[in-house]
Amino acid sequence: MKNFEYLEPRTLTEACEFLDKNEEAKILAGGLSLILLMKYNLVTPRYLINLNAVPNLANIEYVSESGARIGALVTDQDVIESPIIAEKYPLLVEAGRKIASVSVRNYGTIGGNICHADPSADFPPALVALSANLKIVGSRGQRTIPIEELFVDYLESSLAPNDVLTEIEIPPPLPRTGWSFHELGTTSNSAAVLSVAALISLDSAGRCQQASIALGSAGPVPIKVSQAQDILAGQKLDSKLIEAIALEAQKRCNPISDVFGSAEYKREMVKVLTMRALNEAVARAEAISS
Amino acid sequence: MSKQVARFIVNRRPYEILIEPQMTLLQVLRDELDLTGAKSGCGVGECGSCTVIVDGKLTRSCLTLAITAREKSILTIEGLAEGNNLHPIQQAFIDCGGLQCGFCTPGMILAAKALLDKSPHPSREEVKEWLVGNLCRCTGYVKIVDAVLVASERMGKGGK
């Protein structure tokens, strides 16, 4: 690994000021993705800014009117062990449980998992389905963007070099919401070869109020199947509709052929996983009394 | 950035070591402290042979910068036994035949310790899920899982 200057700012302002002044600086959160790249000199920052000494970046809060605020430095393991997230967003817990192993989850952060912009990352499709927003602090102040706007390409995000992701905001869940997360992988803890995150909210009459489906590893960025809401809103979900959505998802996906499967195989699996996820999400929603 | 003195607390003993920021914790443990129980297997955080416990958390020492582990409480396999008394997990691995070449064993035992500290009576499935980040090329894992379950039984009975 090449030499670098190591900094531990004590405040967010200090961190941002430093990032403004120095272009060749990278942020260290959990380090699992970054240090790996640095070991192979694929990334050679001149300065490494450890954010872990900055307070208030690792809280989890929930307010019933506005929903959850998850600090970017909350570790993967803390996300999946959080009682708040288990109660309000079990989809996020299920996605987090797919991440590697305990050792990795102890250090990996939800912010890092997002910002690294790896299309096979587990949190992003779940967060896209949850309509998450990202709070970003940069030299020109603070902005909030829908999470989809962060992802540009394979390992490429829309963040400026001096931007810092500080929080992930998730709106409060609708009362009768079912969820499902399905993933295809080579082993139980491998990176996702394909993943589908689904959220279905039903009204008291059992008609679909909200449908949100996102695909992971099906293209260079997470893919929201935006047609799902239009097709399903106000409808009672039956197998015909579910198949129609699965075909929509198939149309939206853009997987590559690689050692884990051909593009045709993955395309076929998008349909299979989407149907499985929708059936499971609907069943879970129906099990909640109206 | 030049070398700087850093303080590490390893197996309850303090050490002051000259480090550079790009040194990993694994390098410091093996090359500076001669604690060679933690191994460099894959170098990319997937095999678990570099596993140590830092402030109670299972850690990939090959992907941890030593400079970020200063002043933290680090436990390596060498710190588990008390003098000549093996830790019950170590004894269980011996009794159950949970090792062959031994390369993965320090990581496996520490992973088992972290599990039993958190969840003293795991099910077989829970043990398997917990150990998913520690790879073994020799045993086929069955006797490793047996050893962890035997250790949990023995520790529950009032062993250490």
Side-chain angles (χ1 to χ4, degrees), chain B residues 17-117:
Chain B
I17 307 183
L18 221 50
I19 61 164
E20 285 181 295
Q22 73 270 26
M23 287 170 77
T24 63
L25 178 59
L26 182 64
Q27 282 173 293
V28 166
L29 292 171
R30 290 183 59 84
D31 301 342
E32 307 297 322
L33 295 177
D34 277 342
L35 294 169
T36 54
K39 312 290 185 205
S40 178
C42 67
V44 293
E46 294 199 23
C47 74
S49 62
C50 70
T51 300
V52 295
I53 296 180
V54 177
D55 281 351
K57 289 202 215 174
L58 273 182
T59 300
R60 297 294 209 221
S61 66
C62 76
L63 288 183
T64 302
L65 293 175
I67 200 167
T68 65
R70 289 173 296 177
E71 305 295 342
K72 294 187 184 173
S73 181
I74 301 168
L75 179 69
T76 71
I77 189 67
E78 292 89 347
L80 214 52
E82 278 176 14
N84 284 332
N85 297 320
L86 290 180
H87 190 281
I89 298 174
Q90 290 171 307
Q91 192 61 52
F93 266 69
I94 295 171
D95 296 340
C96 295
L99 70 154
Q100 289 180 28
C101 80
F103 193 85
C104 76
T105 311
M108 282 291 183
I109 289 178
L110 289 174
K113 177 173 191 329
L115 173 61
L116 297 181
D117 283 348

Side-chain angles (χ1 to χ4, degrees), chain A residues 255-273:
Chain A
I256 53 167
S257 290
D258 60 17
V259 290
F260 306 115
S262 66
E264 297 95 291
Y265 170 72
K266 292 181 189 179
R267 224 177 274 275
E268 185 56 32
M269 290 303 109
V270 164
K271 184 175 162 215
V272 171
L273 289 189

Side-chain angles (χ1 to χ4, degrees), chain A residues 37 88 106 108 115 143 170 179 188 191 205 217 231 244 274:
Chain A
L37 292 171
K88 301 291 179 188
N106 280 338
C115 295
R143 66 186 195 278
I170 310 178
W179 58 275
S188 66
S217 272
I231 296 177
T274 301

Side-chain angles (χ1 to χ4, degrees), chain A residues 119-130:
Chain A
S120 70
D122 300 288
F123 279 134
L127 289 168
V128 168
L130 286 163

